[in-house]
Amino acid sequence: MIRLEPVTTMAARMNPNWNGQFSCFDRVAKTGHQSRSVVRVRDLEIGGDEVVVMAGPCAVESEFQLLETAEAVAEAGARILRGGAYKPRSSPYAFQGLGVEGLKLLRKAREATGLAIVTEVLSEKDVSLVAEYADIMQVGARSMENYSLLEALGECGRPVLLKRGMVATLEELLRSAQVLALAGNPGIILCERGIRTFETATRNTLDISAVPVLKAVSHLPVIVDPSHAAGVRCLVPALARAAVAVGADGLIVEVHPAPEQALSDGSQSLTFQEFRSMMEDLQPYLAIQQEVRRFPRQLLAVG
Ligand code: PEP
Ligand code: MN
């Protein structure tokens, strides 16, 4: 069992001296010795010089659906295929995923396209099975504080995509990252996917400031999920552009061949054509990103 020191006071929560606030999470905090960590996944670097796009369906539904989507997103420039085989659904009556059959389809899609695979693991008992098929283990928003899952992922031999809980502060996100690191897994990618606020026009509220704050205080790569933040597909490209402009190291985006027939999250899934347009429209923002990469160093000087 990993024990963490209590660290927050109300005053610290309001403190713009971020590095002081978060430095207790010593494995994941930015230091003079470690200012940026790069997570290597097959031939890819997350947190390196390029923005890495992960895309694919919310859930793996069938071979046809997955392979068609994998080919379309690869052609448009995605490097990693997402797809849930185990789905954490808000409703107990919703589709729960294909389980190991879904994992096998993900492997098939990797063989067909060369895309790396990111997929969610819901339970510590599934860690070794999912690690056989996945290149990146996704910990979903609902599991961010499942410490027994995080501890089981410590020595799974795969990097972890750690999503921010829907009511979690950045400090709590980094605390979970510290749990993973203490458990033996240094390969951590943080993901902002929107938080629950009083606003109902979007499914969640994308906390865009999470990106520069996390990049300032932590050496870990930070990616953004505009799909679960938006909840509606028409907002996804704008949120993706914003994420790249503020310095995100990557994106994870839901794409489906026929979103209106999707078994989960169809309303926020892009069509192939919409995904292609999103990727094209990101180009100027990738140039802006090179410029903002200087900002985290300035923020660090505050601490
Ligand atoms: C997902 O990626 O499909 C998902 C369930 O995301 P989140 O955990 O962010 O809700
Ligand atoms: Mn989803």
Side-chain angles (χ1 to χ4, degrees):
M1 178 64 79
I2 292 165
R3 301 188 75 81
L4 293 167
E5 298 297 316
V7 287
T8 331
T9 63
M10 279 308 282
R13 277 207 190 103
M14 301 302 295
N15 190 347
N17 184 353
W18 299 305
N19 300 292
Q21 183 183 350
F22 296 121
S23 57
C24 53
F25 302 130
D26 60 336
R27 301 291 179 99
V28 299
K30 186 174 289 221
T31 63
H33 300 296
Q34 184 151 30
S35 63
R36 161 168 137 171
S37 58
V38 172
V39 173
R40 291 197 167 73
V41 181
R42 292 157 69 88
D43 62 336
L44 297 172
E45 288 190 340
I46 299 164
D49 291 333
E50 280 177 26
V51 173
V52 175
V53 177
M54 316 179 184
C58 177
V60 178
E61 298 170 5
S62 69
E63 178 164 349
F64 178 73
Q65 171 243 20
L66 188 68
L67 269 75
E68 211 188 2
T69 309
E71 275 161 23
V73 299
E75 207 172 296
R79 307 298 304 275
I80 299 180
L81 177 66
R82 63 146 292 147
Y86 298 90
K87 293 305 302 171
R89 302 311 305 279
S90 305
S91 161
Y93 306 110
F95 178 57
Q96 307 290 315
L98 296 180
V100 68
E101 287 314 309
L103 295 175
K104 288 180 183 162
L105 293 176
L106 287 163
R107 175 181 278 172
K108 209 165 186 174
R110 176 174 54 205
E111 282 162 8
T113 59
L115 292 171
I117 300 297
V118 56
T119 194
E120 179 159 357
V121 56
L122 273 174
S123 153
E124 65 263 34
K125 72 179 177 11
D126 296 331
V127 165
S128 48
L129 175 69
V130 175
E132 276 178 46
Y133 294 87
D135 297 296
I136 305 174
M137 311 283 276
Q138 179 173 325
V139 172
R142 292 161 189 78
S143 304
M144 188 202 85
E145 288 192 312
N146 181 345
Y147 283 10
S148 33
L149 175 61
L150 298 179
E151 286 171 19
L153 286 162
E155 293 185 0
C156 70
R158 298 273 182 264
V160 173
L161 169 52
L162 180 63
K163 287 190 142 193
R164 181 181 184 181
M166 55 187 90
V167 292
T169 63
L170 296 179
E171 181 168 333
E172 288 157 350
L173 173 64
L174 287 172
R175 188 172 64 190
S176 289
Q178 173 86 356
V179 171
L180 268 169
L182 286 173
N185 197 335
I188 304 166
I189 304 157
L190 302 173
C191 180
E192 162 61 36
R193 47 76 76 203
I195 49 175
R196 185 163 286 181
T197 67
F198 52 80
E199 181 54 68
T200 55
T202 47
R203 183 177 181 185
N204 292 286
T205 298
L206 180 64
D207 179 8
I208 200 71
S209 58
V211 179
V213 172
L214 289 169
K215 299 281 297 175
V217 301
S218 169
H219 57 77
L220 300 175
V222 181
I223 71 162
V224 167
D225 175 344
S227 307
H228 289 84
V232 286
R233 78 179 65 90
C234 63
L235 290 179
V236 171
L239 299 188
R241 293 195 293 274
V244 171
V246 293
D249 295 296
L251 297 168
I252 180 163
V253 180
E254 289 186 337
V255 179
H256 194 283
E260 63 293 347
Q261 286 161 27
L263 296 181
S264 71
D265 287 349
S267 59
Q268 66 197 33
S269 299
L270 301 181
T271 63
F272 297 167
Q273 181 51 47
E274 287 165 341
F275 181 69
R276 275 194 291 274
S277 304
M278 185 199 88
M279 294 294 279
E280 276 166 31
D281 294 346
L282 277 177
Q283 290 308 315
Y285 294 82
L286 295 168
I288 295 172
Q289 155 127 190
Q290 298 306 317
E291 200 49 36
V292 291
R293 278 188 181 273
R294 292 183 292 115
F295 293 157
R297 279 204 291 281
Q298 292 166 13
L299 292 173
L300 186 63
V302 175

